[in-house]
């Protein structure tokens, strides 16, 4: 009996999203980026937006999203993704435009672009991957690094008196009139993945309906930067990141 005769379509519980190409992923074991890429690909296909979606990827680990998702991409300079997305969406209002950014990009060099795009209520989706560290460049402290958390540039832990406090950028964005959805999700369990996909779906629908800016933050791990196994990184995230960056909706306009 042939394999395709054994595995019937109605028994299919998982398959690779059609918008994900065959390039081997370079991400470290346990990295959240791969799961988030999968969710984005599924949402785009579920909404039938394959030919209408334009992604903006800036500097950092996030930049490599264009290697894995078979949609149109524009690479932005460090931090400028929301500004680029604003221009593309205004010039092409029928397109689905989203940014894919890490915490160093969005909450450091790109703080102004992020805040002003959201304050204008640009009809875009901002996907924010927050692992509290600069993953690509060697594990330096990020704006979102927790107090006491060691990094390459604060090896004894972040000291608020010296380094300032962790930046809850999504909480700030939720206060702006131009945002319609600000939600904080994760992808470390199947249940979390399912909920994250629902919120991504709503964010994309909001953008196409012209409701304003949607921000989907993913509280994530960086096993390499944190110097932990994937299992320990997930546990550390749940015990330390979630209390400071609690999951759930910060703003959800109907």
């Amino acid at each position: 009996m042939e394999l395709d005769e054994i595995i019937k379509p109605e028994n299919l519980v998982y398959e690779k999203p059609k918008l994900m190409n065959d390039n081997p992923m370079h991400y470290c074991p346990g990295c959240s980026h791969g799961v988030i890429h999968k969710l984005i690909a599924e949402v785009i296909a579920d909404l039938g937006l394959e030919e209408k979606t334009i992604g903006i990827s800036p500097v950092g680990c996030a930049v490599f999203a264009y290697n894995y998702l078979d949609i149109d991409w524009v690479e932005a300079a460090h931090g400028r993704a929301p500004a680029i997305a604003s221009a593309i969406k205004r010039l092409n209002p029928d397109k689905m435009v989203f940014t894919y950014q890490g915490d160093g990009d969005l909450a450091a060099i790109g703080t102004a672009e992020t805040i002003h795009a959201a304050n204008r209520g640009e009809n875009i989706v901002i996907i924010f991957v927050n692992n509290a560290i600069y993953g690509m460049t060697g594990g330096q402290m990020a704006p979102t690094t927790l107090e006491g958390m060691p990094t390459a540039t604060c090896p004894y832990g972040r000291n608020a008196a010296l380094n300032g406090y962790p930046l809850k950028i999504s909480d700030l964005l939720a206060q702006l009139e131009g945002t319609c959805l600000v939600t904080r999700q994760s992808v470390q369990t199947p249940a979390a993945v399912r909920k994250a996909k629902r919120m991504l779906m709503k964010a994309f629908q909001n953008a196409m309906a012209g409701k304003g800016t949607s921000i989907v933050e993913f509280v994530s791990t960086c096993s390499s930067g944190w110097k932990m196994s994937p299992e320990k990184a997930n546990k550390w995230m749940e015990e330390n990141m979630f209390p400071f960056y609690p999951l759930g909706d910060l703003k959800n306009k109907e």
Side-chain angles (χ1 to χ4, degrees), residues 211-224:
K211 293 184 177 181
T213 306
S214 294
I215 293 95
V216 182
E217 175 183 348
F218 286 93
V219 182
S220 308
T221 60
C222 181
S223 301
S224 296

Side-chain angles (χ1 to χ4, degrees), residues 111-130:
T111 311
E113 285 79 2
T114 301
I115 289 175
H116 286 290
N119 195 51
R120 292 192 302 268
E122 302 290 348
N123 294 309
I124 61 175
V125 175
I126 295 175
I127 298 172
F128 169 33
V129 183
N130 175 12

Side-chain angles (χ1 to χ4, degrees), residues 19-253:
L19 287 180
M20 294 196 75
N21 58 38
D22 294 326
N23 289 336
M25 282 198 170
H26 77 289
Y27 298 119
C28 303
C31 179
S32 303
H33 279 297
V35 179
I36 301 169
H37 287 5
K38 174 181 177 290
L39 295 183
I40 295 169
E42 290 178 347
V43 167
I44 292 170
D46 289 349
L47 293 175
L49 296 173
E50 297 93 329
E51 302 300 323
K52 288 189 172 185
T53 301
I54 302 172
I56 317 298
S57 59
V59 177
C61 293
V63 72
F64 293 111
Y66 59 62
N67 281 333
Y68 309 121
L69 296 175
D70 188 16
I71 57 173
D72 290 328
W73 287 95
V74 174
E75 184 176 350
H78 205 344
R80 316 307 176 211
I84 300 296
S86 298
I88 291 174
K89 181 66 175 182
R90 288 189 178 205
L91 291 169
N92 303 274
D94 63 319
K95 300 294 186 182
M96 173 59 238
V97 184
F98 74 93
T99 72
Y100 188 85
Q101 302 174 257
D103 45 276
D105 182 85
L106 182 145
I109 192 170
T111 311
E113 285 79 2
T114 301
I115 289 175
H116 286 290
N119 195 51
R120 292 192 302 268
E122 302 290 348
N123 294 309
I124 61 175
V125 175
I126 295 175
I127 298 172
F128 169 33
V129 183
N130 175 12
N131 55 25
I133 205 167
Y134 280 50
M136 173 182 271
T137 55
Q140 297 89 347
M141 182 182 66
T144 53
T145 298
L146 302 178
E147 285 189 77
M149 180 179 175
T151 73
T153 47
C154 56
Y156 301 105
R158 180 175 191 152
N159 180 349
L162 177 65
N163 310 122
Y165 296 94
L167 181 58
K168 291 185 175 181
I169 185 70
S170 292
D171 296 69
L172 296 176
L173 297 172
Q175 307 306 311
L176 304 177
E177 294 296 330
T179 55
C180 60
L181 174 66
V182 183
T183 186
R184 189 179 284 128
Q185 302 295 325
S186 64
V187 292
Q188 87 285 7
T189 66
V193 169
R194 288 192 293 270
K195 184 173 182 183
K197 182 177 177 179
R198 289 197 299 270
M199 299 317 297
L200 266 180
M201 178 83 70
K202 177 157 191 178
F204 276 50
Q205 291 171 327
N206 285 347
M208 294 305 290
K211 293 184 177 181
T213 306
S214 294
I215 293 95
V216 182
E217 175 183 348
F218 286 93
V219 182
S220 308
T221 60
C222 181
S223 301
S224 296
W226 295 359
K227 297 179 171 54
M228 299 178 187
S229 69
E231 293 83 3
K232 288 183 178 178
N234 275 336
K235 189 172 188 298
W236 194 91
M237 175 179 66
E238 292 172 348
E239 293 177 350
N240 296 275
M241 295 277 282
F242 289 176
F244 192 80
Y245 298 111
L247 303 184
D249 296 346
L250 300 170
K251 184 177 188 178
N252 193 347
K253 285 185 177 179

